[in-house]
Amino acid sequence: MADRINFLYPVLKSSYYRRSHNPLSSLPLHPMSTEEKKEEKSLNFLEEIVEADLAAGKYKTIMTRFPPEPNGYLHMGHATSICLNFGLSKKYGGATNLRFDDTNPVTEETEYVDSIKEDVKWLGFEWKNEHYASDYFEELYEMAVKLIKKNLAYVDDSSSEEIAAQKGTPTQPGHRNKYADRPVEENLQLFADMKDGKYKDGEKVLRAKVDMASPNMLMRDPVLYRIKHAHHHRTGDDWCIYPLYDFAHGQSDSIEKITHSICTLEFVPHRELYDWLIEKLEIFPSKQYEFARRNLTYTVMSKRKLLQLVTEKHVDGWDDPRMPTISGMRRRGYTPEAIREFCDRIGIAKRDNIVDVGLLEFFVREDLNKKALRRMVVFDPVKVVITNYTNEDELLKSENNPEDPDGGEREIPFSNEIYIEREDFMENPPKKYFRLAPGQMVRLKSAYIIKCDEVIKDEKGNITELHCTYIPESKSGSDASGIHVKGTLHWLSVKHAVTVEVREYDRLFKVEDPSSEEGDFKDYINPDSLKVVKTAFAEPSLKNARFEDRYQFIRKGYFTLDKDSSTSGMVFNKTVGLKDSWKPQPAKKN
RNA sequence: UGCCAGGUGGUGUAAUUGGCAACACACCAGAGUUUGAAUCUGGUAUUCCCAGUUCGAAUCUGGGUCUGGUAUCCA
């Protein structure tokens, strides 16, 4: 049945074919087909490969892995890989392992292992098994012995410079040295001696015997093992020889029966070696597939550069909200849902790319709009006195989230002295200025309509107060005034306002692609990427803010509580601003 | 330079594998609005170049060109 549908479907779906040859063209397609059509979402090239493999019966179920090296914090690029690997196995009923590629003891630390696990979990994924390449050291050693026995590997005493020189150039083949002819027995003994610590770092290496004339430089007898008398974060001092990436990754995949080993494009040349080793070792045939890594505008993504930003204190740490790290984005208030949606909807391919960070921000807004509690916060206040408001202070109700009917309401105190945003008033407004101006009316969100009667200034001409009158019949929810105003402002009762600190972030760099610019990428750091508002005024309900809550400060943007907050002082991070399509007209001169 | 990968609106991806180049973001215009948000309507804009095959090419062929990767005892 499924086969038949698959066979017919492409024909029916062809609009050309449908119109000219299909007598049912004006009718809806077969119910099954319309159903499918609704679900219709084109497959990315990896999904196509998986579906083809599954259809061919190559595997009954798929297995993927996420293989970070624990030498830094995870960033947006890793998120792509995580979503791909876990997404693929989830979609096709397989599983994904988390594997730490820890074959280089000098760069790796447990601190990173922990943060990586935390980040993957936070993104919402569960791995099947947690593995470490270092767990396979014994097994890998045995594999190397097997290769030696097959006379496909040998111990080389040359220095790294000599080996490099013998490798030839892209246009000229390399040549073997005398060590390549060492008999199997001798190689076995030497390799065992290497393992037993009889040699110093760099004295000897184990190389595969492949092809010194290969057009692929990587196949010219690549180094498999090197000597490093270094402490490993997991195996301690058990080993003094460590396998290189090429001798660890494919075999680790194989040991875990990974069916689809997904990596980035720079590993394409490694695929030939990957396959060669699996073939010669006669082990489970994992297959490597490559995709183009994701780049984002106005940031850098390489671990080396991110590390520099941290160590040279251009940012506050790996989790600085301006960093493209997972921990940075988390601290900034991005949600895992938004990041996952971004990764999924952006797609994947094999060409170079640089994704507009605005696209990421769109997905963040889209998610936050549904979740964030609305609150009023005034960053730069100007006092408004409502001269005809002689009542007692009152409590007004306002919805927590207009997008969420079940979101409930909270109460906001109103009195005759309020704050509004300084930028929401203009003495000589341009055309189409909907905010407050002399003689002009605005609605105070969830409260009343007010009209500006008088501007009070100090001796220097600075505006210190605005005197307004309110329209009693215009109370929110029971407005009988019949007045329609274009502008609605956020506001706070002066005596009820609480103070909070607000940190606003802008792009970390001034240019779209700092890495491609002349000179040092750090020359392009945006000096204004952090703006701190030490004292902003907030409505009282914000006193109960919790770390996991997301807020929208009305007309300001999305915010979340920062870890620097304490009982004495709350600190909010701006996650992302609201879209702002208001373009001020050229202002009239004052 | 050798080898490898890749060029589709401003950005990222599609195109049922040779049959009307689509989706999202961005942008513009409008509607609406107790957030100049969200929402809704409409719009601008695209196949690297040159040939060839074909009724028909983003897709196939040849040549060119541009971009990236690689040439570490990093991963």
Side-chain angles (χ1 to χ4, degrees):
Chain A
M1 183 64 180
D3 282 342
R4 218 191 77 212
I5 289 164
N6 284 342
F7 172 70
L8 288 174
Y9 188 42
V11 177
L12 287 174
K13 266 180 77 187
S14 157
S15 55
Y16 171 81
Y17 215 91
R18 195 161 55 211
R19 184 170 308 129
S20 41
H21 300 283
N22 184 353
L24 303 174
S25 63
S26 58
L27 298 171
L29 297 177
H30 187 277
M32 194 82 175
S33 300
T34 25
E35 188 84 1
E36 271 182 54
K37 189 154 190 182
K38 239 190 167 137
E39 283 294 297
E40 187 182 330
K41 200 189 165 232
S42 54
L43 301 176
N44 66 44
F45 76 100
L46 291 170
E47 291 169 332
E48 277 177 14
I49 289 166
V50 169
E51 291 202 359
D53 286 347
L54 254 17
K58 210 163 155 186
Y59 314 103
K60 31 192 190 325
T61 175
I62 67 161
M63 193 74 206
T64 60
R65 105 266 93 117
F66 173 60
E69 182 188 11
N71 68 347
Y73 283 75
L74 259 28
H75 53 62
M76 193 61 219
H78 295 104
T80 307
S81 175
I82 291 167
C83 291
L84 263 182
N85 279 295
F86 284 90
L88 221 43
S89 65
K90 187 178 273 181
K91 177 167 183 179
Y92 296 103
T96 301
N97 286 342
L98 173 63
R99 181 170 74 234
F100 293 96
D101 225 342
D102 54 353
T103 58
N104 187 359
V106 302
T107 58
E108 297 149 8
E109 290 169 34
T110 307
E111 172 201 349
Y112 296 124
V113 170
D114 298 336
S115 79
I116 289 170
K117 290 201 279 193
E118 185 188 351
D119 288 349
V120 175
K121 277 188 221 157
W122 178 75
L123 274 176
F125 295 105
E126 279 175 39
W127 52 88
K128 182 163 187 253
N129 299 117
E130 177 181 329
H131 290 298
Y132 295 80
S134 53
D135 288 345
Y136 306 137
F137 280 171
E138 192 62 48
E139 229 167 318
L140 292 170
Y141 179 79
E142 293 306 327
M143 287 183 191
V145 168
K146 181 173 183 177
L147 220 48
I148 294 172
K149 284 182 177 161
K150 290 179 101 175
N151 197 22
L152 290 171
Y154 60 95
V155 173
D156 194 326
D157 300 359
S158 312
S159 67
S160 71
E161 295 75 30
E162 287 167 327
I163 289 176
Q166 291 156 8
K167 275 210 173 176
T169 67
T171 45
Q172 292 164 304
H175 61 274
R176 290 216 164 103
N177 57 37
K178 60 181 177 180
Y179 305 112
D181 298 323
R182 287 221 252 236
V184 169
E185 286 310 315
E186 189 185 338
N187 282 320
L188 250 17
Q189 185 58 51
L190 256 18
F191 188 49
D193 290 345
M194 281 169 62
K195 181 193 178 205
D196 291 341
K198 295 193 180 162
Y199 304 107
K200 293 200 273 292
D201 288 10
E203 243 178 282
K204 285 182 167 47
V205 291
L206 183 73
R207 297 177 72 180
K209 198 180 278 187
V210 192
D211 177 8
M212 289 304 280
S214 171
N216 182 352
M217 296 292 286
L218 222 86
M219 298 299 277
R220 323 248 262 223
D221 289 12
V223 175
L224 267 23
Y225 266 92
R226 80 283 219 188
I227 298 169
K228 260 186 207 285
H229 291 273
H231 189 84
H232 187 278
H233 76 113
R234 297 192 90 233
T235 61
D237 300 312
D238 293 351
W239 294 84
C240 63
I241 57 170
Y242 291 93
L244 273 99
Y245 167 85
D246 288 299
F247 199 70
H249 203 98
Q251 286 103 302
S252 299
D253 284 342
S254 186
I255 290 166
E256 295 173 25
K257 302 257 189 308
I258 301 301
T259 55
H260 301 263
S261 178
I262 300 161
C263 60
T264 44
L265 239 30
E266 68 266 29
F267 290 98
V268 169
H270 293 254
R271 190 175 60 231
E272 196 179 355
L273 220 205
Y274 183 104
D275 290 337
W276 186 89
L277 283 166
I278 281 176
E279 185 203 325
K280 300 304 179 192
L281 257 11
E282 300 164 80
I283 52 179
F284 181 84
S286 297
K287 286 288 178 189
Q288 174 184 307
Y289 302 95
E290 312 87 9
F291 68 93
R293 70 161 25 135
R294 292 256 88 104
N295 299 294
L296 278 180
T297 53
Y298 300 103
T299 192
V300 291
M301 208 69 98
S302 87
K303 270 188 202 169
R304 205 194 91 241
K305 293 189 176 117
L306 294 176
L307 181 64
Q308 258 185 81
L309 293 175
V310 173
T311 54
E312 294 172 22
K313 310 264 188 219
H314 297 288
V315 295
D316 190 26
W318 285 99
D319 67 346
D320 185 295
R322 292 164 292 182
M323 291 280 272
T325 50
I326 310 276
S327 47
M329 294 190 286
R330 175 169 59 228
R331 186 170 170 192
R332 181 150 175 174
Y334 285 16
T335 60
E337 290 81 3
I339 295 172
R340 275 190 262 130
E341 190 68 7
F342 169 75
C343 290
D344 288 349
R345 300 245 305 258
I346 208 72
I348 199 72
K350 300 183 82 150
R351 63 182 132 190
D352 302 330
N353 61 78
I354 177 154
V355 186
D356 188 340
V357 70
L359 194 49
L360 207 208
E361 291 171 344
F362 164 80
F363 288 110
V364 173
R365 284 193 196 100
E366 186 182 55
D367 188 41
L368 256 21
N369 181 42
K370 293 179 297 191
K371 297 176 176 163
L373 301 170
R374 311 295 134 122
R375 294 292 184 265
M376 294 200 279
V377 178
V378 173
F379 288 24
D380 179 18
V382 63
K383 192 197 271 187
V384 172
V385 177
I386 301 168
T387 52
N388 63 337
Y389 191 83
T390 50
N391 309 352
E392 295 283 299
D393 299 348
E394 61 181 317
L395 282 175
L396 302 172
K397 287 192 185 332
S398 188
E399 74 278 1
N400 280 320
N401 186 346
E403 305 289 322
D404 179 6
D406 304 321
E409 295 181 321
R410 87 276 185 196
E411 291 180 325
I412 309 170
F414 186 80
S415 65
N416 69 334
E417 283 194 345
I418 62 167
Y419 285 137
I420 64 166
E421 211 71 65
R422 191 164 281 273
E423 66 174 16
D424 283 337
F425 173 82
M426 270 184 103
E427 203 170 3
N428 299 294
K431 277 195 170 58
K432 297 227 206 142
Y433 185 80
F434 302 153
R435 281 113 102 141
L436 201 59
Q440 209 159 299
M441 290 196 274
V442 292
R443 150 97 41 204
L444 295 175
K445 171 70 181 169
S446 298
Y448 300 91
I449 291 173
I450 57 169
K451 178 180 176 196
C452 179
D453 306 315
E454 193 183 357
V455 182
I456 315 291
K457 297 178 183 177
D458 62 17
E459 61 282 1
K460 288 190 211 117
N462 299 313
I463 297 170
T464 55
E465 256 177 47
L466 300 171
H467 286 191
C468 298
T469 43
Y470 85 116
I471 318 287
E473 310 81 60
S474 69
K475 185 170 177 177
S476 184
S478 56
D479 186 346
S481 70
I483 301 169
H484 290 280
V485 293
K486 280 292 229 176
T488 301
L489 308 184
H490 59 286
W491 55 273
L492 292 166
S493 163
V494 170
K495 73 173 93 142
H496 300 97
V498 299
T499 59
V500 298
E501 177 178 328
V502 171
R503 297 178 185 164
E504 298 184 87
Y505 304 98
D506 198 356
R507 336 229 109 138
L508 231 196
F509 290 89
K510 292 180 285 188
V511 294
E512 281 199 354
D513 188 4
S515 306
S516 73
E517 297 287 337
E518 300 268 314
D520 191 352
F521 76 100
K522 294 195 294 307
D523 296 343
Y524 300 91
I525 290 178
N526 176 8
D528 306 315
S529 61
L530 170 64
K531 198 180 128 210
V532 178
V533 180
K534 274 285 174 196
T535 344
F537 298 87
E539 60 173 85
S541 69
L542 224 36
K543 275 189 287 195
N544 306 317
R546 293 169 305 175
F547 284 103
E548 59 272 26
D549 287 336
R550 315 288 172 168
Y551 297 97
Q552 185 199 98
F553 294 173
I554 293 176
R555 303 207 305 135
K556 285 292 189 183
Y558 295 98
F559 293 80
T560 196
L561 206 53
D562 186 75
K563 66 174 187 183
D564 287 349
S565 298
S566 63
T567 42
S568 55
M570 288 183 145
V571 179
F572 285 92
N573 287 324
K574 182 172 183 173
T575 306
V576 64
L578 257 23
K579 206 175 131 178
D580 184 8
S581 62
W582 180 62
K583 289 170 294 296
Q585 318 281 314
K588 283 189 280 187
K589 49 218 162 284
N590 281 5

